[in-house]
Amino acid sequence: MHELSIANNIVTIVEEEYKKLDCNGMVQKVYFNTGRMNAIIPDSLKFGFNTIKQNKVFLKEAELIIIESPIILKCKKCNIEKEIDEPFFICEKCGSTNIEVISGMEMYIDSIEVDDNCN
Amino acid sequence: MKINIIRKVLEVNDRLADEIREKTNLYKTLVVNIMSSPGSGKTSILEKILPLLTEKGYNVGVIEGDIATIKDAQRISNKNIPVTQINTDKFGGDCHLGSEVILPALETFDLEKMDIVIIENVGNLVCPAEFDTGSDYNIVVISTTEGEDKPLKYPLMFRVCQFGIINKIDLLPYLDFDISELKTNINKINPNMEIVESSAKTVDGIEKIINWFENHLK
């Protein structure tokens, strides 16, 4: 259940950013980006987020929007980039194992939407 | 109104993990994080390698992570090895060890004297892969009773580990387990992973694990 720790971290970061805004509005949306490698179960993460947000007045109405980014590999030998659906981390073209995962491992808060004009 | 943020969700964990590496580099202490599903033999392997590492003159400490009980810590401390127990139920029953609990656990050791600290993570192939513990290397243990397809089901775990131990090979004659298929699957996820076969019961392969540790000392 790493989703609960992750939901907790999301709320902490959103709270920090919200306080910087000097704003009375309510947060309506939180856009969260996660790579497919992270194996996050969206329903579990939303459940965690919706439970924790109840403790924060500014966040009570917020919806967590999860954007999943695909796994994209780059072969460091032949420079080819390819999106994969099955876990197979060897270059299909040249067979090299020198592969960089350029998308699919990330996990970050992209943005928030607030329902009021802030300073 | 939309406000762009772009902040990594695990930034605090990652920052503390880097702090741990800075600290242990200073003292030249090798930190290794061992992960696996429950029951694949992490503690049994430790029970075999710890006395051998001690015999060779290395100072080794162990950080034991479990959701509850101090049973594993007792097994290790029976080998006269300094051990610090982390029970994650105090932190909400977490399924993994984050760097925020590793840092204070490390401080219970005299790092100046420590050659190796081994973190035995909570048994789980999903969550621990996500959280950087501040270790220098990650090891995954997979046993012959688990199924050859595990690397494909838990790719992140096999991607973040540099060393793989296939344990319980003494059971191979009694199982329909295809060890070459397992290796092929590991290869699909992480072709650069070093792999050894071992049995904590018959001590086959234990020497190779010791060699791995000796080759990675700081």
Side-chain angles (χ1 to χ4, degrees), chain A residues 1-2 5-6 9-10 13 16-17 20-21 31-32 37-39 87-90 97 99 101 105 107-114 116-118, chain B residues 1-13 92 94-96 124 126-127 130-131 151-153 155-156 159-160 187-192:
Chain A
M1 193 50 190
H2 57 164
S5 303
I6 291 164
N9 286 341
I10 292 175
I13 292 174
E16 279 175 23
E17 295 293 328
K20 284 185 205 164
L21 294 174
Y31 292 91
F32 167 74
M37 282 290 277
N38 296 324
F88 189 69
F89 292 82
I90 299 170
T97 58
I99 297 279
V101 182
M105 305 272 277
M107 198 196 290
Y108 61 91
I109 298 170
D110 177 83
S111 54
I112 57 175
E113 266 180 45
V114 185
D116 195 9
N117 284 331
C118 302
Chain B
M1 157 175 158
K2 189 165 176 172
I3 297 128
N4 290 327
I5 293 182
I6 315 286
R7 273 179 65 181
K8 281 173 75 180
V9 169
L10 300 181
E11 59 184 17
V12 174
N13 189 76
D94 260 351
C95 46
H96 61 271
N124 181 332
V126 186
C127 319
E130 202 77 71
F131 293 82
L152 305 180
K153 288 183 172 169
L156 186 62
R159 197 67 202 163
V160 299
N187 219 23
K188 284 180 185 168
I189 306 296
N190 189 352
N192 302 318

Side-chain angles (χ1 to χ4, degrees), chain B residues 59-85:
Chain B
N59 286 318
V60 191
V62 174
I63 297 174
E64 271 295 336
D66 278 299
I67 289 179
T69 83
I70 53 164
K71 284 178 182 300
D72 283 358
Q74 276 163 347
R75 283 170 65 184
I76 300 302
S77 103
N78 288 343
K79 303 283 174 194
N80 293 320
I81 300 285
V83 51
T84 297
Q85 171 79 50

Side-chain angles (χ1 to χ4, degrees), chain A residues 21-78:
Chain A
L21 294 174
D22 188 19
C23 165
N24 296 320
M26 299 282 277
V27 175
Q28 294 298 327
K29 284 177 179 152
V30 174
Y31 292 91
F32 167 74
N33 195 305
T34 178
R36 275 188 72 188
M37 282 290 277
N38 296 324
I40 285 175
I41 300 166
D43 284 347
S44 297
L45 184 63
K46 283 183 182 175
F47 176 79
F49 177 81
N50 289 336
T51 307
I52 301 166
K53 76 176 185 185
Q54 297 306 326
N55 302 325
K56 311 280 177 190
V57 175
F58 68 94
L59 210 56
K60 277 192 170 170
E61 296 174 6
E63 180 192 357
L64 181 69
I65 295 170
I66 301 172
I67 307 150
E68 204 180 56
S69 35
I71 303 172
I72 300 172
L73 307 181
K74 183 179 184 177
C75 174
K76 285 186 165 174
K77 205 173 158 200
C78 67

Side-chain angles (χ1 to χ4, degrees), chain B residues 18-37:
Chain B
D18 287 339
E19 237 175 75
I20 289 172
R21 271 184 292 269
E22 268 171 40
K23 203 182 176 85
T24 55
N25 279 340
L26 203 67
Y27 294 113
K28 296 196 171 11
T29 307
L30 169 70
V31 181
V32 174
N33 173 31
I34 304 189
M35 301 179 278
S36 79
S37 48

